[in-house]
Amino acid sequence: MTKFHVIIPAAGSGSRMATVLPKQYLPLAGRPIVSWTLEPFLTCERIASVHLVLSADDAHWQAHATHHPKLSTLHCGGETRAETVLNALKVLNVEPSDWILVHDAARPGLTHQLLDYLLDEVEDDEVGGLLAIPLADTLKRADAKQRVASTEPREGLWQAQTPQMFRYGILKEALIKSGGAPTDEAQAVEALGLSPKLVTGQLRNLKITYPQDLALAEAIIAADHHEAKK
Ligand code: C5P
């Protein structure tokens, strides 16, 4: 039977957060961000294994470790996100047809419902797919002085989120050929001439990138608690 495995690349420095601690370890509602990120995968029965990929010199995971029989940690982070994911694929012992879901370590708002929706929408797909949101705002291109150079048409544009899910064989081939440059997995698969499926995501599945994103994520978690208590 085709299995679902998860890779969480967590070897980035998160320089846009301007914090000493890598962003996945920053506290969010009393727990490190990465512990929220891991939860929907560890508690979803359809997911067979979860692999958190750390940089070789990660000095923080030990202090924040979550233990779970489905979770393994790999200390093989690369120079780029694509290299980190490829390094993990090289050590996974799975079937070429198994699904690999790649999810950002600092995307703590994924829900079980959204994860299930993605799995349902993509599991019979030839190519694979990703969560994404149609662009809502008007797009401006900036010049070197941070003045508007032009307004870009937004028709047909989507903002890519994660998880992005592809079969092991396709994803490995795509990332080997990509040379480590793509900023997401779909881009590497597109370069093979394939068209990944866009599955409508949700704003709550935001990636913590800037300091103000933390407050937004806290508010979402607080609202979840409030809902759960009703
Ligand atoms: O920097 P950005 O937010 O785009 O990173 C997305 C994800 O890729 C993060 O989870 C980050 O830790 C990971 N990453 C990685 N190895 C790198 C760079 C980024 O695992 N060399």
Side-chain angles (χ1 to χ4, degrees):
M1 203 182 78
T2 307
K3 291 184 174 159
F4 299 103
H5 305 279
V6 178
I7 290 178
I8 302 194
S13 60
S15 52
R16 286 169 291 186
M17 282 301 280
T19 54
V20 177
L21 201 58
K23 62 182 174 180
Q24 64 268 19
Y25 298 120
L26 293 175
L28 172 64
R31 285 160 49 188
I33 289 175
V34 67
S35 123
W36 292 101
T37 304
L38 288 167
E39 190 170 279
F41 300 108
L42 295 177
T43 55
C44 172
E45 285 185 0
R46 297 167 78 184
I47 301 292
S49 67
V50 181
H51 308 273
L52 182 70
V53 195
L54 307 169
S55 62
D57 58 359
D58 183 291
H60 306 283
W61 171 248
Q62 281 306 335
H64 298 95
T66 298
H67 299 282
H68 192 282
K70 262 191 333 201
L71 177 63
S72 82
T73 48
L74 305 171
H75 293 262
C76 59
E79 287 292 307
T80 64
R81 175 215 170 93
E83 265 183 45
T84 298
V85 174
L86 181 57
N87 289 348
L89 289 177
K90 285 179 178 167
V91 298
L92 288 198
N93 187 12
V94 304
E95 297 296 322
S97 59
D98 279 354
W99 285 107
I100 303 293
L101 283 81
V102 182
H103 188 61
D104 295 319
R107 221 179 258 281
L110 183 70
T111 58
H112 281 127
Q113 291 85 344
L114 198 49
L115 174 58
D116 267 328
Y117 180 55
L118 174 70
L119 298 181
D120 290 344
E121 286 290 308
V122 180
E123 69 177 332
D124 295 323
D125 197 87
E126 289 287 306
V127 176
L130 61 148
L131 289 179
I133 299 197
L135 270 193
D137 297 323
T138 300
L139 274 187
K140 303 292 182 193
R141 183 171 297 281
D143 65 14
K145 293 183 183 142
Q146 206 178 308
R147 313 281 310 185
V148 175
S150 61
T151 298
E152 303 287 332
R154 67 167 181 230
E155 283 71 33
L157 289 186
W158 291 57
Q159 206 175 330
Q161 297 190 331
T162 67
Q164 305 203 349
M165 68 185 265
F166 297 99
R167 293 189 191 269
Y168 176 86
I170 290 182
L171 184 57
K172 192 169 171 193
E173 181 194 345
L175 289 175
I176 288 172
K177 288 186 174 159
S178 78
T183 51
D184 71 354
E185 291 61 48
Q187 190 184 349
V189 172
E190 291 154 39
L192 296 180
L194 301 171
S195 296
K197 181 173 182 176
L198 292 164
V199 178
T200 307
Q202 291 176 0
L203 282 175
R204 61 166 294 141
N205 185 30
L206 79 159
K207 182 170 72 173
I208 308 288
T209 305
Y210 302 105
Q212 66 265 30
D213 297 335
L214 265 178
L216 191 53
E218 295 251 2
I220 290 167
I221 288 169
D224 286 348
H225 274 273
H226 188 68
E227 237 355 82
K229 275 192 192 158
K230 272 189 191 167

